[in-house]
Amino acid sequence: MTNFDYGLVLKSLWPLAQGLIFGTIPLTLISFVLGLIVALAVALARLSNNRWFELPARGFVSIIRGTPLLLQLFMVFFGLPSLGIVLDPWPSAIVAFSLNVGAYASEIIRAAIQSIGKGQWEAAKTIGLNREQTLELVILPQAARVAVPPLGNTLIALVKDTSLASVVLVTDILRKAQEIAAPTFQFFLLYSVAAVYYWVVCFFLSVAQKRLELRLDRWVAK
Amino acid sequence: MTENLIEIRNLNKAFDSIQVLKDVSFDVPKGSVTVIIGPSGSGKTTLLRSINLLEIPDSGSVSVGASLVDFSNKPKPQEIAELATHSGMVFQANNLFPHLTALGNITLGPIKAQGKAKTEADAEARKLIEELGLAGLELRYPHQLSGGQQQRVGIARALALKPNVLLFDEPTSALDPELVGEVLRSIKTLAQFGWTMVIVTHEIRFAQKVADQVIFMDQGEVLEVGTPSKVLTKSTNERLRSFLNGILFS
């Protein structure tokens, strides 16, 4: 049994918070926003009647969902240099996480769009809206309400998945914890502090999701 | 003779192997009310939806106002959009946009499709809201309105685009019986204002009072066309008689 060095916990609070604030959180947010853009594009491609959009989109989703996230991260960071593409840790992580989120969220967005009845498309057509306007003004606002809970899930999963970035040298909270724990062997304490930080972030995200749902609920019949 | 606003010629439409429109032709004079009746599955809704090209017929032609689309060749999307601008549609299930207020529903088309200024569109919408007896409800969301009020918002949404013709697809079929009257009264008022309308309905008494022309369809064919008295009381067509008996004495 190791002796627990509780003083180290106090001393680690700020460095770990830095890992969270300058590593985990921005990595999560940037990847999530880019991922949503990828997801919307992939969802629309999958819903289009054009095979040249639909098939590549389907292939992309299949490959991303059929391979481990860690492998995808390694592919970008360690694999792409063989093709002459060398990315730093941060861009590597952002590319891998954005594509991964993009594939999973595209299925959520596709299902949400398809959950809006045909009558809404028809009504929009009869008041002269074209396809793009109908999507933007009629379908997506309603699909958003449907997509928020599962997208909340995706975001919360991503917060924790970004910990994988520590293995490609991104200084996130987990890497900070490792750096402090290694010379002192206080792994249990440092990982516990990191765990609490993760949990707090996810707790607040859940609260934010609930509030967003309530806001979008104002036009839904109770 | 008044000029025809709508001319339907030899329309045919099949879904898979089922022929839902069989060589349908008729005219709708400007400013008149046409009521289409017939048993369910007779093709009346498909016919109505062919007038604004929510359904694309397999052959024949549809002309509304100055636009004509002939289906012997595959129509271009612009042709379809062009023809569709002439009609406004009121749906059985109202199909209001649930995320927009009554006012938002009514002004969406004028602002986004016709490029009207918001203030102008709002003012016109408020006038329609007033005329349809919906004053005070402009900022309610559809789920905060009764079925009859929702349907009248649907009518206002169609009217806001100032179409040449209004199409109604069973506008009262999804309503509670006590709400049917208010919607029919609104439609009757529009008839008095001279709107050209084509209405699919099972309200035979309403047809008798308001229609200039009644069309009876069965199994994809137009079997009778004429004034309400000719079609609803004097016709000797066997299928029409049994249809009317079924409805009036149910």
Coordinates of all heavy atoms in Angstrom, one line a residue, chain B residues 111-169:
Chain B
I111 N -43.1 36.4 -46.7 CA -41.7 37.0 -46.5 C -40.6 36.2 -47.2 O -39.8 36.8 -47.9 CB -41.4 37.0 -45.0 CG1 -42.4 38.0 -44.2 CG2 -40.0 37.4 -44.7 CD1 -42.3 38.0 -42.7
K112 N -40.7 34.9 -47.1 CA -39.5 34.1 -47.6 C -39.7 33.8 -49.1 O -38.7 33.7 -49.8 CB -39.3 32.8 -46.8 CG -39.0 33.1 -45.3 CD -37.6 33.8 -45.2 CE -37.3 34.1 -43.8 NZ -36.0 34.6 -43.6
A113 N -40.9 33.5 -49.5 CA -41.1 33.0 -50.9 C -41.4 34.2 -51.8 O -40.9 34.3 -53.0 CB -42.2 32.0 -51.0
Q114 N -42.1 35.2 -51.3 CA -42.4 36.4 -52.2 C -41.6 37.6 -51.9 O -41.7 38.6 -52.6 CB -43.9 36.7 -52.0 CG -44.9 35.6 -52.4 CD -46.3 36.0 -52.3 OE1 -46.7 36.7 -51.5 NE2 -47.1 35.4 -53.3
G115 N -40.7 37.5 -50.8 CA -39.8 38.6 -50.6 C -40.5 39.9 -50.1 O -39.9 41.0 -50.2
K116 N -41.6 39.7 -49.4 CA -42.3 40.9 -48.8 C -41.5 41.4 -47.6 O -40.9 40.6 -46.9 CB -43.7 40.6 -48.5 CG -44.7 41.0 -49.5 CD -46.1 40.9 -49.1 CE -47.0 40.9 -50.3 NZ -48.3 40.2 -50.1
A117 N -41.6 42.7 -47.3 CA -41.1 43.2 -46.1 C -41.9 42.7 -44.9 O -43.1 42.5 -45.1 CB -41.1 44.8 -46.1
K118 N -41.3 42.5 -43.8 CA -41.9 41.9 -42.6 C -43.1 42.7 -42.2 O -44.2 42.2 -41.9 CB -40.9 41.7 -41.5 CG -41.5 40.8 -40.4 CD -40.5 40.5 -39.3 CE -41.1 39.7 -38.2 NZ -42.4 40.2 -37.6
T119 N -42.9 44.1 -42.1 CA -44.0 44.9 -41.6 C -45.2 44.8 -42.5 O -46.3 44.8 -42.0 CB -43.5 46.4 -41.6 OG1 -42.8 46.7 -42.8 CG2 -42.6 46.7 -40.4
E120 N -45.0 44.8 -43.8 CA -46.1 44.7 -44.8 C -46.8 43.3 -44.6 O -48.0 43.3 -44.5 CB -45.6 44.9 -46.2 CG -46.6 45.0 -47.2 CD -46.1 44.9 -48.7 OE1 -44.8 44.9 -48.8 OE2 -46.9 44.8 -49.6
A121 N -46.0 42.3 -44.6 CA -46.6 40.9 -44.4 C -47.4 40.8 -43.1 O -48.4 40.2 -43.1 CB -45.5 39.9 -44.5
D122 N -46.8 41.4 -42.0 CA -47.5 41.3 -40.7 C -48.8 42.0 -40.8 O -49.8 41.5 -40.3 CB -46.6 42.0 -39.7 CG -45.6 41.1 -39.1 OD1 -45.6 39.9 -39.5 OD2 -44.8 41.5 -38.2
A123 N -48.8 43.2 -41.4 CA -50.1 44.0 -41.5 C -51.1 43.2 -42.3 O -52.3 43.2 -41.9 CB -49.8 45.4 -42.2
E124 N -50.7 42.7 -43.4 CA -51.7 41.9 -44.2 C -52.2 40.7 -43.5 O -53.4 40.3 -43.5 CB -51.0 41.5 -45.5 CG -50.8 42.7 -46.5 CD -50.2 42.3 -47.8 OE1 -50.0 41.0 -48.0 OE2 -49.9 43.2 -48.6
A125 N -51.3 40.0 -42.8 CA -51.7 38.8 -42.0 C -52.7 39.2 -40.9 O -53.6 38.5 -40.7 CB -50.4 38.2 -41.4
R126 N -52.4 40.3 -40.2 CA -53.3 40.7 -39.2 C -54.7 41.0 -39.7 O -55.7 40.7 -39.1 CB -52.8 41.9 -38.4 CG -51.7 41.6 -37.5 CD -51.1 42.8 -36.8 NE -49.8 42.4 -36.2 CZ -49.7 41.8 -35.0 NH1 -50.8 41.5 -34.3 NH2 -48.5 41.5 -34.5
K127 N -54.8 41.5 -40.9 CA -56.1 41.7 -41.6 C -56.8 40.4 -41.8 O -58.0 40.3 -41.5 CB -55.9 42.5 -42.9 CG -56.8 43.8 -43.0 CD -56.5 44.5 -44.3 CE -57.6 44.3 -45.3 NZ -57.2 44.6 -46.7
L128 N -56.1 39.4 -42.3 CA -56.6 38.1 -42.6 C -57.1 37.5 -41.3 O -58.2 36.9 -41.2 CB -55.6 37.2 -43.3 CG -55.3 37.4 -44.7 CD1 -54.1 36.6 -45.2 CD2 -56.6 37.1 -45.6
I129 N -56.3 37.6 -40.3 CA -56.6 37.1 -38.9 C -57.9 37.6 -38.4 O -58.8 36.9 -38.0 CB -55.4 37.3 -38.0 CG1 -54.3 36.4 -38.3 CG2 -55.9 37.2 -36.5 CD1 -53.0 36.7 -37.6
E130 N -58.1 38.9 -38.6 CA -59.3 39.6 -38.3 C -60.5 39.1 -39.0 O -61.5 38.7 -38.5 CB -59.1 41.1 -38.6 CG -60.2 42.0 -38.1 CD -60.0 42.5 -36.7 OE1 -58.8 42.6 -36.3 OE2 -61.0 42.7 -36.0
E131 N -60.3 39.0 -40.4 CA -61.4 38.5 -41.2 C -61.9 37.1 -40.9 O -63.0 36.7 -41.1 CB -61.0 38.6 -42.7 CG -61.0 40.0 -43.2 CD -60.3 40.1 -44.6 OE1 -60.0 39.1 -45.2 OE2 -60.0 41.3 -45.0
L132 N -60.9 36.3 -40.5 CA -61.2 34.9 -40.2 C -61.6 34.7 -38.8 O -61.7 33.5 -38.3 CB -60.1 34.0 -40.6 CG -59.9 33.8 -42.1 CD1 -58.5 33.4 -42.5 CD2 -60.9 32.8 -42.7
G133 N -61.9 35.8 -38.0 CA -62.3 35.6 -36.7 C -61.3 35.1 -35.7 O -61.6 34.4 -34.7
L134 N -60.0 35.4 -36.0 CA -59.0 34.8 -35.1 C -58.3 35.9 -34.3 O -57.2 35.7 -33.7 CB -57.9 34.1 -36.0 CG -58.4 32.9 -36.7 CD1 -57.4 32.5 -37.8 CD2 -58.6 31.7 -35.8
A135 N -58.9 37.1 -34.3 CA -58.2 38.3 -33.6 C -57.9 37.9 -32.2 O -58.6 37.2 -31.5 CB -59.2 39.5 -33.6
G136 N -56.7 38.3 -31.7 CA -56.2 38.0 -30.4 C -55.4 36.7 -30.3 O -54.8 36.4 -29.3
L137 N -55.4 35.9 -31.4 CA -54.8 34.6 -31.3 C -53.5 34.6 -32.1 O -52.8 33.6 -32.3 CB -55.7 33.5 -31.9 CG -57.1 33.4 -31.2 CD1 -57.9 32.4 -31.9 CD2 -56.9 33.0 -29.7
E138 N -53.0 35.8 -32.6 CA -51.9 35.8 -33.5 C -50.6 35.2 -33.0 O -49.9 34.6 -33.7 CB -51.5 37.2 -34.0 CG -52.0 38.5 -33.9 CD -53.4 38.8 -33.4 OE1 -53.9 38.2 -32.4 OE2 -54.0 39.8 -33.9
L139 N -50.4 35.3 -31.6 CA -49.1 34.9 -31.1 C -49.2 33.5 -30.5 O -48.3 33.1 -29.8 CB -48.6 35.9 -30.1 CG -48.3 37.3 -30.8 CD1 -47.7 38.3 -29.8 CD2 -47.4 37.1 -32.0
R140 N -50.3 32.8 -30.7 CA -50.5 31.5 -30.1 C -49.8 30.5 -31.1 O -49.8 30.7 -32.3 CB -51.9 31.1 -30.0 CG -52.7 31.9 -29.1 CD -53.2 31.1 -27.9 NE -54.0 31.9 -27.1 CZ -55.3 31.6 -26.7 NH1 -55.8 30.5 -27.3 NH2 -56.0 32.3 -25.9
Y141 N -49.2 29.5 -30.5 CA -48.7 28.4 -31.3 C -49.8 27.4 -31.7 O -50.8 27.4 -31.0 CB -47.6 27.6 -30.5 CG -46.3 28.4 -30.4 CD1 -46.1 29.2 -29.3 CD2 -45.4 28.4 -31.4 CE1 -44.9 29.9 -29.2 CE2 -44.2 29.1 -31.4 CZ -44.0 29.9 -30.2 OH -42.8 30.6 -30.2
P142 N -49.7 26.7 -32.8 CA -50.8 25.8 -33.2 C -51.4 25.0 -32.1 O -52.6 24.8 -32.0 CB -50.2 25.0 -34.4 CG -49.2 25.9 -35.0 CD -48.6 26.7 -33.8
H143 N -50.5 24.4 -31.3 CA -51.1 23.5 -30.3 C -51.9 24.2 -29.2 O -52.6 23.6 -28.4 CB -50.0 22.7 -29.6 CG -49.2 23.4 -28.6 ND1 -49.5 23.4 -27.2 CD2 -48.1 24.2 -28.7 CE1 -48.7 24.1 -26.6 NE2 -47.8 24.6 -27.4
Q144 N -51.9 25.5 -29.2 CA -52.7 26.3 -28.3 C -54.0 26.8 -28.9 O -54.7 27.6 -28.3 CB -51.9 27.6 -27.8 CG -50.6 27.2 -27.1 CD -49.6 28.4 -26.9 OE1 -49.5 29.2 -27.8 NE2 -49.0 28.5 -25.7
L145 N -54.3 26.3 -30.1 CA -55.5 26.6 -30.7 C -56.4 25.4 -30.9 O -56.0 24.3 -30.9 CB -55.2 27.2 -32.1 CG -54.3 28.4 -32.2 CD1 -53.9 28.6 -33.7 CD2 -55.1 29.6 -31.7
S146 N -57.8 25.6 -31.0 CA -58.7 24.5 -31.2 C -58.5 24.1 -32.7 O -57.9 24.8 -33.5 CB -60.1 25.0 -31.0 OG -60.5 25.8 -32.1
G147 N -59.1 22.9 -33.0 CA -59.0 22.4 -34.3 C -59.5 23.3 -35.4 O -59.0 23.5 -36.4
G148 N -60.7 23.9 -35.0 CA -61.3 24.8 -36.0 C -60.5 26.1 -36.2 O -60.3 26.6 -37.3
Q149 N -59.9 26.6 -35.1 CA -59.0 27.8 -35.2 C -57.8 27.4 -36.0 O -57.3 28.2 -36.9 CB -58.6 28.2 -33.8 CG -59.8 28.9 -33.1 CD -59.4 29.0 -31.6 OE1 -58.5 28.4 -31.0 NE2 -60.2 29.9 -30.9
Q150 N -57.2 26.2 -35.8 CA -56.0 25.8 -36.5 C -56.3 25.8 -38.0 O -55.6 26.3 -38.9 CB -55.6 24.4 -36.1 CG -55.0 24.3 -34.7 CD -54.7 22.9 -34.3 OE1 -54.9 21.9 -35.0 NE2 -54.2 22.7 -33.1
Q151 N -57.5 25.2 -38.4 CA -57.9 25.1 -39.8 C -58.1 26.5 -40.4 O -57.7 26.7 -41.5 CB -59.2 24.3 -39.9 CG -59.4 23.6 -41.3 CD -58.2 22.8 -41.8 OE1 -57.1 23.4 -42.1 NE2 -58.3 21.5 -41.9
R152 N -58.6 27.5 -39.6 CA -58.7 28.8 -40.1 C -57.4 29.5 -40.3 O -57.2 30.3 -41.2 CB -59.7 29.6 -39.3 CG -61.2 29.2 -39.6 CD -62.2 30.0 -38.8 NE -62.2 29.5 -37.4 CZ -62.5 30.3 -36.4 NH1 -62.7 31.6 -36.6 NH2 -62.5 29.8 -35.2
V153 N -56.4 29.2 -39.4 CA -55.1 29.7 -39.6 C -54.5 29.1 -40.9 O -53.9 29.8 -41.7 CB -54.1 29.4 -38.4 CG1 -52.7 29.7 -38.7 CG2 -54.6 30.1 -37.2
G154 N -54.8 27.8 -41.1 CA -54.4 27.2 -42.4 C -55.0 27.9 -43.6 O -54.3 28.1 -44.6
I155 N -56.2 28.3 -43.5 CA -56.9 29.1 -44.6 C -56.2 30.4 -44.8 O -55.8 30.8 -45.9 CB -58.4 29.3 -44.3 CG1 -59.1 27.9 -44.3 CG2 -59.0 30.2 -45.4 CD1 -60.5 27.9 -43.9
A156 N -55.9 31.1 -43.7 CA -55.2 32.4 -43.7 C -53.8 32.2 -44.4 O -53.4 33.1 -45.2 CB -55.1 33.0 -42.4
R157 N -53.1 31.2 -44.0 CA -51.8 30.9 -44.5 C -51.8 30.8 -46.1 O -51.0 31.3 -46.8 CB -51.2 29.7 -43.9 CG -49.8 29.3 -44.5 CD -49.2 28.1 -43.7 NE -49.9 26.9 -44.0 CZ -49.4 25.7 -43.6 NH1 -48.4 25.6 -42.8 NH2 -50.1 24.6 -43.9
A158 N -52.9 30.1 -46.5 CA -53.0 29.9 -48.0 C -53.4 31.2 -48.6 O -52.9 31.6 -49.7 CB -54.1 28.8 -48.3
L159 N -54.3 32.0 -48.0 CA -54.8 33.3 -48.6 C -53.7 34.3 -48.6 O -53.7 35.2 -49.5 CB -55.9 33.8 -47.7 CG -57.3 33.2 -47.8 CD1 -58.2 33.8 -46.8 CD2 -57.9 33.4 -49.2
A160 N -52.7 34.2 -47.7 CA -51.7 35.3 -47.6 C -50.9 35.4 -48.8 O -50.3 36.5 -49.1 CB -50.8 35.0 -46.4
L161 N -50.8 34.4 -49.6 CA -50.0 34.4 -50.8 C -50.8 35.0 -52.0 O -50.3 35.0 -53.1 CB -49.4 33.0 -51.1 CG -48.4 32.6 -50.1 CD1 -48.6 31.2 -49.7 CD2 -47.0 32.8 -50.7
K162 N -52.0 35.3 -51.8 CA -52.9 35.8 -52.8 C -52.9 34.9 -54.0 O -52.6 35.4 -55.2 CB -52.5 37.3 -53.2 CG -52.4 38.2 -52.0 CD -52.5 39.7 -52.5 CE -52.7 40.6 -51.4 NZ -51.5 40.9 -50.6
P163 N -53.3 33.7 -53.8 CA -53.3 32.8 -55.0 C -54.6 33.0 -55.9 O -55.5 33.7 -55.4 CB -53.4 31.4 -54.3 CG -54.1 31.6 -53.1 CD -53.7 33.0 -52.6
N164 N -54.6 32.5 -57.0 CA -55.8 32.6 -57.9 C -56.8 31.6 -57.5 O -58.0 31.9 -57.8 CB -55.4 32.3 -59.4 CG -54.4 33.4 -59.9 OD1 -54.5 34.5 -59.6 ND2 -53.4 32.9 -60.7
V165 N -56.4 30.5 -56.9 CA -57.4 29.5 -56.6 C -57.0 28.9 -55.2 O -55.9 28.8 -54.9 CB -57.5 28.4 -57.7 CG1 -56.2 27.8 -57.9 CG2 -58.5 27.3 -57.3
L166 N -58.1 28.6 -54.4 CA -57.8 27.9 -53.2 C -58.3 26.5 -53.3 O -59.4 26.2 -53.7 CB -58.7 28.6 -52.1 CG -58.1 29.8 -51.4 CD1 -59.1 30.4 -50.5 CD2 -56.8 29.6 -50.7
L167 N -57.4 25.5 -52.8 CA -57.8 24.1 -52.8 C -58.0 23.6 -51.4 O -57.1 23.9 -50.5 CB -56.6 23.3 -53.5 CG -56.1 23.8 -54.9 CD1 -54.9 23.1 -55.3 CD2 -57.2 23.8 -55.9
F168 N -59.0 22.9 -51.2 CA -59.3 22.4 -49.8 C -59.4 20.9 -49.9 O -60.2 20.4 -50.6 CB -60.7 22.9 -49.3 CG -60.7 24.4 -49.0 CD1 -60.9 25.3 -50.0 CD2 -60.5 24.9 -47.7 CE1 -61.0 26.7 -49.8 CE2 -60.5 26.2 -47.5 CZ -60.8 27.1 -48.5
D169 N -58.6 20.2 -49.1 CA -58.6 18.8 -49.1 C -59.3 18.3 -47.8 O -58.7 18.2 -46.8 CB -57.2 18.2 -49.2 CG -57.1 16.7 -49.2 OD1 -58.2 16.1 -49.5 OD2 -56.1 16.1 -49.1

